[in-house]
Amino acid sequence: DTKLELSVALRNDSPDLLSIFQKLITSITKKEKDRILNKWITVKYEHKFDYSLVGKVFLPIFFFLGMIIFYLWTVKLKRE
């Protein structure tokens, strides 16, 4: 289990702002922190279909079938 610690940088000439942030952070529930974390720190995996693989597989098959059809067509023409 990896622990991820996040932080916020504040200017050191505003101690009141630091106090406000501390109160805000302590008032947030664990559930709300998890929701915020999941919203901003997520890994989205988008699976894209590789169309080049389709071409590599089906192009030779179509070529081979075309050769067979052409061969059968020429044999039929020779018989007539």
Side-chain angles (χ1 to χ4, degrees), residues 6-35:
L6 302 175
S7 60
V8 175
L10 297 173
R11 292 174 47 142
N12 61 1
D13 62 350
S14 296
D16 294 337
L17 189 56
L18 176 62
S19 173
I20 292 170
F21 265 99
Q22 289 292 347
K23 289 177 185 175
L24 177 67
I25 290 171
T26 56
S27 70
I28 298 175
T29 64
K30 169 86 169 109
K31 185 177 179 181
E32 187 68 16
K33 285 179 186 177
D34 290 341
R35 189 188 67 76

Side-chain angles (χ1 to χ4, degrees), residues 13-79:
D13 62 350
S14 296
D16 294 337
L17 189 56
L18 176 62
S19 173
I20 292 170
F21 265 99
Q22 289 292 347
K23 289 177 185 175
L24 177 67
I25 290 171
T26 56
S27 70
I28 298 175
T29 64
K30 169 86 169 109
K31 185 177 179 181
E32 187 68 16
K33 285 179 186 177
D34 290 341
R35 189 188 67 76
I36 293 168
L37 188 67
N38 287 333
K39 179 181 178 183
W40 290 102
I41 314 245
T42 56
V43 176
K44 293 181 181 178
Y45 177 73
E46 295 180 11
H47 180 71
K48 294 183 180 179
F49 191 76
D50 186 12
Y51 289 101
S52 66
L53 180 62
V54 173
K56 290 175 186 173
V57 171
F58 287 110
L59 190 61
I61 291 172
F62 288 136
F63 180 75
F64 184 69
L65 288 175
M67 297 277 294
I68 291 173
I69 291 170
F70 180 74
Y71 173 75
L72 293 174
W73 182 58
T74 56
V75 168
K76 181 180 175 184
L77 287 177
K78 284 182 184 178
R79 285 188 201 161

